[in-house]
Structure formats: structure tokens, C-alpha cells
Amino acid sequence: MLKPVCVKINFIKCLVVLLLIVNSKVTAQQQDDSWVISDQLKWSERTALSILNKYPNAWQLDGNDKPKWDYKMGFVLCGFEKLYQKTNNKKYLNYIKDYVDEMIDSTGNLKKYDSKEYNIDYLSPGKLLFNLYDLTKDPRYLKITGQLRNQLETQPRTPSGGFWHKQIYPDQMWIDGLYMGEPFYTQFTVKYENGRSLDDIAKQFELAQNNIIDKNTGLPYQAWDESKAIGWANKQTGTSPTIWGRGIGWYMMALVETLDYFPKSHPKYKVLVGYLNQIAKNVNECKSPEGLWYQVADKPQLYGNYVEPSASGMIIYAFAKGADKGYLPSSYKKTAQKSFDSFVKEFVKVDKTGVITILNVSSNVGLGGKPFRDGTNDYYLTAKTKENGAIGIGAFLLSAIELNK
């Protein structure tokens, strides 16, 4: 008599387990379906939604395993800020706010920020604070904005007056440092100081133009050591050895984003516009047949050289923004549009759920340090590449927003 009862109980158990399995599969399918990104959306929103999917917290960008105040996060989130301003979608604003709030400690200061490091990279994510303060009036944002500005008051300078890139790099200006510092510096001085530092900002670009830009190609090296003491420096010019594609992008973006706040009435405004037009002309002449830019920008024929997405995306963005704002001729907008289409074909992979991956992004590179980075062409060409490097995906997001793609 017991046997039929046991069989019945086991049957019921099996049925329950089967139902649970089926239900879990249905639930998983529903969850997957909820993350399908429509190909009817613009590339800008598809990219932003892909970032939200892959990196629920912005500090996770670039594979980071813990929160930190970092220019790479700031770069991507500047794209989110522009997208929020276009769409008024609060999820983009909240992504920025959640990151910034995570980085503020209980005393209202940035976690692990030490102004005495004199790291100019720390200023770049500070651009996010202006809009956050205007929207929320949270005094913490204004306080930190002021602290970052104060860093520049005592930032070490080269004998000619250029900001050191960091305390650990004496007498060195880096081309990416112009992007890290000058747009923030310009916005602050116009908004809160009645523009008293505009001459100093223009001087930083003038020093770069006179000392970092190669006289033959009109393209920038990554850095300049005014003392010519460091091992990578050319003993005659003080420049580093390589014209780096991403370095060109940093310089062009520094110009177009500084010009956003630089008053047209200032005598140096036309000088900065002239610098932008000069570099744009030279950059336009060194693109690939498809309209993209190389890791070592001036040597496309060099063995192992390749078109690189962060450099290409930055230049596309700068061309488009420069044309939209009237800093550059309108023809650069058409160039940017063609290059953007080539970027999508070359670097963008879309999975079955619509999530976007940016391929073949060069890893972060630098100069000096331990082990010593010599800045040769070979050093840049042997730097590892990866998917979704933050600067690559951020540059694509910015270019898509600017082109309304």
C-alpha cells in the first residue's frame, strides 16, 4: 500500500521542480528581454544604455574594482550630462549624481583626494559639479568645485608658466593636461571670478602651441619637459618622441570645450580659434582612407600601426562641435559624419540584446615612472588594446551626441 503513495509523492516533487525550472527560465528570459536595446534608438542612447547595463556604477568603468575620482569616469559622464540636457531623461542625470555622491565622504570632501599631489587629472571630473550644483544647490558640490580650483593656485609651473602635469613630473606639460585642466578652469573663472584667469588659460595653450606642437607636421607630441632633463625628452626641444593619436584628440577637445566658455570679446579668443583651425587642417590630412586616425598619428605606414577608436572618436567630436559652434568651417561637419560612419563599421559590435561594445581601444599610456616609459613609437604600438576602454566608449558617445546620431 505504501508504494503507490511514494510514487505519487515523488511525481509531485518532480512536477514542482520542473515548474520551478520552467519559471526560472521564463523569468530569466523576461529579464533578458528587458535589457534589449532597440536599434531604432540613436547611437548615443544605445551607447548610454549599454554603459548602464554593463557598469551599473560609473566607477566600474574601465574595469575598476573600487570607487575613485578619476578622469576616465569624468570623461564618460560628461557625455551623460550632454545626453541628459538633450533628452531630459533623469536616469542619465542620476548616473552622474550617484557617482559623485559615492566619491564624497561624511565631511563633504572628496575621498582620497590630496591636493598636494598636484595631479591635474583630478580637475576634469570637477566639470560635473557645476551643473549638479545649479540643479540641486547642494553646498557640497560648490565646496569641492572650489577645492579643485584652489589646487591651481599652488600648482607647480615650468619656468615659462605652464602647469606641471603632476607633482611627480617636474617641469613637464602633457598635452592631455590641457583637456584635464583648462575647460574646468575656464568655466570656473567665468562663472565665479569674473574671468580674471582667462589670460593664464590662454597662456597654457600658447605654451603648448609653441613647444609641444611639431613644427613639421603641426601635430602635438604627448609632452614637453622644459628642463629637458627626463630620459624621454629630446635634448634640443624637450618634447617626447611620439605624435600620439589620442593626444591630438585631447588637444582638440581642450580647445573646443574651453571655447565654450571663453568670451568672444577677449583678445585671446581669436587666437584660440586660430589654434583649433590650424590643428584641424593638419589632422584632416593624416586620416586613413576610411576617415579614421592612427595610434601613431603621423606614421600610418609604420609596422604594427593601426586606426584607434579613442583618437578617432575624439577628433570626430571636435570636428563636429567646432563646426556647430562656428569655430571651424562647416565642411568639418561633413568630414565628421563620414568618419563617424567608418567608426561604426570598424569599431562597434552589437550583441543580440542590442548592447554595444567598442573594440580595440588602446590602453592608457604615459611617460616616465617606474618601470620607465620611454614614449617611443614602439611603446605606443605595443600597448595592449581592450574592449570598452572608457576613453574609447566615451569618445563614441560624445561624437554621437554632437552629430545627433
Side-chain angles (χ1 to χ4, degrees):
M1 294 293 292
L2 292 175
K3 191 171 183 180
V5 173
C6 291
V7 170
K8 186 175 182 180
I9 291 171
N10 286 334
F11 173 77
I12 292 171
K13 285 182 177 179
C14 289
L15 184 61
V16 169
V17 170
L18 182 62
L19 287 171
L20 286 171
I21 291 171
V22 170
N23 184 60
S24 67
K25 287 184 176 180
V26 170
T27 302
Q29 183 63 46
Q30 288 172 343
Q31 289 172 340
D32 289 343
D33 288 347
S34 71
W35 276 108
V36 171
I37 298 171
S38 170
D39 61 6
Q40 300 304 304
L41 291 171
K42 292 177 179 177
W43 283 113
S44 55
E45 290 217 67
R46 293 166 71 182
T47 304
L49 292 172
S50 297
I51 292 169
L52 289 170
N53 182 17
K54 292 185 177 187
Y55 311 104
N57 301 295
W59 56 261
Q60 295 171 312
L61 283 155
D62 220 47
N64 285 323
D65 57 3
K66 57 185 176 181
K68 66 175 179 176
W69 186 253
D70 189 271
Y71 74 91
K72 295 184 289 294
M73 282 88 250
F75 181 64
V76 175
L77 291 176
C78 280
F80 272 77
E81 183 176 89
K82 292 176 189 298
L83 194 56
Y84 168 68
Q85 291 166 347
K86 273 204 166 191
T87 66
N88 206 32
N89 188 329
K90 286 288 182 66
K91 73 170 66 175
Y92 303 135
L93 176 63
N94 291 338
Y95 194 56
I96 300 167
K97 188 175 184 300
D98 288 347
Y99 169 73
V100 173
D101 289 349
E102 172 66 33
M103 297 311 307
I104 300 175
D105 65 22
S106 59
T107 66
N109 294 304
L110 282 177
K111 295 176 182 176
K112 298 182 179 179
Y113 167 67
D114 181 1
S115 63
K116 293 300 188 289
E117 290 181 23
Y118 291 113
N119 184 345
I120 209 162
D121 290 343
Y122 289 149
L123 272 60
S124 189
K127 292 181 294 185
L128 302 169
L129 300 168
F130 294 106
N131 191 48
L132 282 177
Y133 177 69
D134 288 345
L135 290 171
T136 68
K137 301 304 178 185
D138 186 330
R140 299 177 305 163
Y141 301 143
L142 184 61
K143 175 185 176 182
I144 294 169
T145 308
Q147 289 174 339
L148 293 171
R149 167 64 182 91
N150 285 341
Q151 177 184 314
L152 288 177
E153 286 298 297
T154 51
Q155 184 89 6
R157 295 177 183 246
T158 72
S160 297
F163 290 127
W164 291 12
H165 193 66
K166 297 180 184 180
Q167 176 71 33
I168 58 174
Y169 300 136
D171 289 324
Q172 297 172 30
M173 288 186 74
W174 290 22
I175 200 71
D176 34 322
L178 290 168
Y179 175 83
M180 303 304 164
E182 308 322 313
F184 170 86
Y185 193 11
T186 309
Q187 191 171 356
F188 189 98
T189 198
V190 169
K191 191 175 181 70
Y192 297 123
E193 299 177 333
N194 199 30
R196 70 176 175 87
S197 298
L198 289 169
D199 286 341
D200 189 33
I201 291 159
K203 183 176 184 177
Q204 303 305 309
F205 285 102
E206 181 181 3
L207 287 169
Q209 193 73 16
N210 292 339
N211 297 286
I212 304 182
I213 302 293
D214 176 57
K215 300 300 185 289
N216 295 319
T217 63
L219 303 173
Y221 293 101
Q222 184 172 359
W224 168 58
D225 175 10
E226 187 165 356
S227 72
K228 306 179 181 66
I230 193 73
W232 50 255
N234 182 294
K235 297 309 175 188
Q236 281 71 50
T237 64
T239 56
S240 56
T242 297
I243 294 174
W244 175 41
R246 190 185 293 172
I248 294 172
W250 287 129
Y251 185 55
M252 294 185 71
M253 291 194 307
L255 282 163
V256 295
E257 295 194 0
T258 294
L259 285 165
D260 275 348
Y261 303 99
F262 212 92
K264 290 183 178 180
S265 58
H266 193 281
K268 294 295 183 180
Y269 175 85
K270 289 183 179 179
V271 174
L272 296 182
V273 171
Y275 292 162
L276 179 62
N277 277 267
Q278 181 182 326
I279 186 95
K281 178 179 181 295
N282 296 324
V283 167
N284 201 29
E285 292 172 357
C286 70
K287 62 182 182 291
S288 74
E290 295 75 28
L292 301 171
W293 284 269
Y294 294 89
Q295 173 77 337
V296 177
D298 62 326
K299 297 182 176 67
Q301 76 288 351
L302 197 63
Y303 178 78
N305 205 359
Y306 58 95
V307 290
E308 198 279 325
S310 67
S312 299
M314 288 172 163
I315 294 166
I316 293 166
Y317 165 63
F319 276 0
K321 185 177 179 69
D324 284 342
K325 293 283 189 173
Y327 314 140
L328 293 173
S330 59
S331 59
Y332 283 99
K333 184 71 172 283
K334 294 178 181 178
T335 300
Q337 289 168 337
K338 291 178 181 177
S339 295
F340 183 89
D341 292 341
S342 294
F343 186 110
V344 171
K345 291 177 184 176
E346 180 73 23
F347 301 123
V348 177
K349 181 177 75 173
V350 184
D351 72 14
K352 62 183 180 181
T353 65
V355 171
I356 286 169
T357 296
I358 305 299
L359 306 173
N360 211 37
V361 182
S362 171
S363 58
N364 302 322
V365 295
L367 295 162
K370 295 180 181 179
F372 188 77
R373 298 167 294 180
D374 61 8
T376 60
N377 291 174
D378 187 60
Y379 163 71
Y380 289 87
L381 294 179
T382 55
K384 291 182 179 178
T385 60
K386 61 181 179 180
E387 294 183 350
N388 281 340
I391 305 304
I393 200 166
F396 181 62
L397 175 61
L398 285 167
S399 63
I401 294 167
E402 194 63 41
L403 287 166
N404 200 29
K405 294 276 193 178

